[in-house]
Amino acid sequence: MPCRNTGSWNTVVVSYARNGDVVRARRVFDEMPQRDSISWSTMIGVYSQYGMGEEALRLFIEMGRDGAGIVRSIFNCVLSTCADMVALECGRQVHGRLVKAGFEMGCFVGNTLMVMYSKCGSIDEAYKAFEGIMDKDVITWNTMITGYARHGFGKEALDVFASLLKTEIKPDDITLVGVLSACSHTGLVNKGISYFYSMHQDYGMTAKPAHYTCMIDLLGRAGRLKDAEDLLRNSPYEPDATMWGALLGASRIHGNTKLGEAAAERIFEMEPKNSGMYVLLSNLYASEGRWADVGKMRVTMRERDLWKVPGYSWIELQNAVHIFSVGDSVHPDRERIYAYIEELDLRMKAAGYVSATKMVLHDVEEEEKEHLLKYHSEKLAVAFGLLNVPPGKPIRVIKNLRVCKDCHSAIKYISALEGRLIILRDSNRFHHFKDGSCSCGDYW
């Protein structure tokens, strides 16, 4: 390389990264005769930008061993990576290094720290970070409100909003999306309606499509499907797939097949490749026992080259990630996990648990449906956590899809029988199971 100084080497790394050649960027980085904090930050940022989280974290650890000075921006990047990977233990270690480095908890890093803890399922630690930020900006407040909303703590979200209104900081569009989402996820219908219709008068805002989507979701979840449909059709905006999706989801919850079909038809016109909506409509048909229609949906998906995303769940234990799929047969601890699930199943049934066999998308006998439900990925991950996470510590499980109704019911029973806090993050929100109940109040 003809480059004579570190700055020139850094420029070459950036140049390769901008062209998408991460391999060459790393090769140049490895060849550098001397690296500074910018060199390390640049390469870690490249990995983070291209979704290579494990490589970014591995390089951050190597950076610490190298003794390079750590700039504030690198913490922001690494914490964001931990959030995306749901790597709580790693995030805590990065937080510890942040404190050790002597950086004050300002908005720049503090907001990212809040996001990391919230996405990783530790909303209490997110709130501690929130309290530690002295110069809060509107993003700080929005992050806390949205975090509480996603975790099902509507009252806490509205309390934070009330505190914001006592400051000189003005709420923005995102603030009200968080507030309406909090109301939607916890069934605070009247409060949500009040906030929505007072936006202009109280906060000088005009409701945007995201606010209408929240309201359609709120009304739909509450069973007020006619009101939700009227709001959608009378919206000043052309209804998009997200609005129709909220209506389809509500139709699925309350078994309104006619409205669900109408919503799905509009979604398919706008997003013909949205496989999730085909699955949602298929679920609606299955819950009604309309197996012929379920079969038609499968044929339609095959014809359009669409496939249901396979569900899987994972749990982090001692910096190792354990991944489970339905009926998992490859995990090294599977025999102990399956034996434990059988034991739990007997205890749950004795306590009153009944399998939600209507959720099974196959026209098979009831006994086989129960068998299929018993080994869902989230149940396997929870069982593994119960067997390995020390008593007194929460069990944190992540699922790539929405948790099913049967697993939601089962985990409530498990939390009571085992006396454990189980935190499950699905594709839509968090569920905190404790003493037989969930933070969502069965309202998700």
Side-chain angles (χ1 to χ4, degrees), residues 385-444:
L386 290 168
L387 289 168
N388 292 281
V389 176
K393 288 190 175 183
I395 294 163
R396 305 176 195 275
V397 171
I398 316 295
K399 183 173 182 179
N400 67 322
L401 303 176
R402 293 194 70 179
V403 61
C404 80
K405 184 177 180 181
D406 179 73
C407 287
H408 190 272
S409 174
I411 297 172
K412 284 197 300 180
Y413 276 95
I414 292 170
S415 70
L417 291 171
E418 296 297 298
R420 301 292 294 269
L421 170 61
I422 302 170
I423 302 172
L424 171 64
R425 171 183 161 180
D426 67 14
S427 61
N428 194 47
R429 60 174 302 164
F430 283 88
H431 301 265
H432 293 241
F433 299 92
K434 185 178 181 181
D435 299 328
S437 64
C438 178
S439 59
C440 72
D442 299 335
Y443 198 86
W444 91 100

Side-chain angles (χ1 to χ4, degrees), residues 21 42-43 91 95 103 118 146 234 323 347 353 358 410:
D21 196 338
T42 299
M43 196 62 230
H95 185 188
F103 290 120
S118 179
T146 303
N234 295 324
I323 302 174
R347 292 167 60 199
Y353 161 74
K358 287 182 68 175

